[in-house]
Amino acid sequence: MHSSTRPSPSAEAGVDVAVDPQVSAALADVIATARRRAARDGDRQIDTAHLLHSLLESDGGTWELLEGGGPQLGKLLGYLVQRSIGYGLRWQSTVEDSGAVPAVSEQPGGVPGWSPSAQAALELAARRARRLAKERTEGVDLFAGVVADPECRGVEVLRRAGVDVAQLADRLGVADDA
């Protein structure tokens, strides 16, 4: 029997609905893009740099949060593009593990295909959305989740591009979501 109901944006993006059943359609697209980027780059898992790249590519709210304008954003995108073509920061084909959480293989309920830091960022994003009484988790929530882990790849890229990550975390209210 064929069902005529369309899967939720979360299911289409490959989001574990146990982590967040209520992602917005725009965030589901960001996650799907990050998944494609990881596969294209030859990475075994979506990591926070994949998520950051996808957010910067398609989420205007993320752009607005990055003060400093053109040169800083250009440098940030440059690092991410270099990584995606195999140059620059050398993480390709390695698992992101900031040490903040155990490796996926060691985690009960770890989400296959997600680095521990990326999974933690998505979980924090869901908590943030609930705290702010949002119906859906959005890109800015995921961006806050990435920024919350000072040792993740996404934050490393932000720092190398000259972003004041501590100030960004304060503006995002990251401490309130942890």
Side-chain angles (χ1 to χ4, degrees), residues 4 17 21 24 33-34 42 47 49 56 65 79 82 93 112 126 132 142 152 166-167:
S4 63
V17 292
S24 68
T33 300
D47 65 28
L56 290 172
L65 288 164
Y79 280 127
Q82 285 178 355
S93 299
L132 297 174
L142 182 57
C152 75
Q167 183 182 48

Side-chain angles (χ1 to χ4, degrees), residues 105-167:
S105 60
E106 299 168 13
Q107 289 181 22
V111 180
W114 287 75
S115 75
S117 294
Q119 179 182 348
L122 187 60
E123 290 169 352
L124 190 137
R127 286 195 306 273
R128 182 179 195 273
R130 284 190 298 273
R131 179 179 61 80
L132 297 174
K134 295 180 181 179
E135 283 189 37
R136 304 253 184 252
T137 304
E138 299 170 358
V140 68
D141 302 312
L142 182 57
F143 187 51
V146 169
V147 170
D149 182 350
E151 302 301 319
C152 75
R153 289 177 180 171
V155 169
E156 182 180 346
V157 171
L158 289 168
R159 268 195 211 104
R160 286 186 183 221
V163 174
D164 184 337
V165 178
Q167 183 182 48

Side-chain angles (χ1 to χ4, degrees), residues 1-153:
M1 177 172 226
H2 185 276
S3 172
S4 63
T5 58
R6 180 180 160 92
S8 70
S10 299
E12 287 182 346
V15 176
D16 182 347
V17 292
V19 174
D20 184 10
Q22 300 297 320
V23 299
S24 68
L27 181 55
D29 288 344
V30 165
I31 293 167
T33 300
R35 182 176 305 286
R36 286 189 300 275
R37 179 168 282 113
R40 185 186 62 231
D41 292 352
D43 295 329
R44 297 184 318 227
Q45 296 180 329
I46 297 170
D47 65 28
T48 57
H50 294 122
L51 293 172
L52 177 62
H53 196 163
S54 295
L55 283 164
L56 290 172
E57 195 172 68
S58 62
D59 185 74
T62 300
W63 278 92
E64 292 171 13
L65 288 164
L66 293 168
E67 293 178 357
Q72 188 180 57
L73 290 173
K75 191 173 183 181
L76 181 56
L77 287 172
Y79 280 127
L80 292 165
V81 168
Q82 285 178 355
R83 183 214 182 184
S84 70
I85 60 173
Y87 296 105
L89 303 175
R90 298 285 181 187
W91 301 313
Q92 199 166 15
S93 299
T94 63
V95 174
E96 174 183 39
D97 183 9
S98 70
V101 292
V104 170
S105 60
E106 299 168 13
Q107 289 181 22
V111 180
W114 287 75
S115 75
S117 294
Q119 179 182 348
L122 187 60
E123 290 169 352
L124 190 137
R127 286 195 306 273
R128 182 179 195 273
R130 284 190 298 273
R131 179 179 61 80
L132 297 174
K134 295 180 181 179
E135 283 189 37
R136 304 253 184 252
T137 304
E138 299 170 358
V140 68
D141 302 312
L142 182 57
F143 187 51
V146 169
V147 170
D149 182 350
E151 302 301 319
C152 75
R153 289 177 180 171

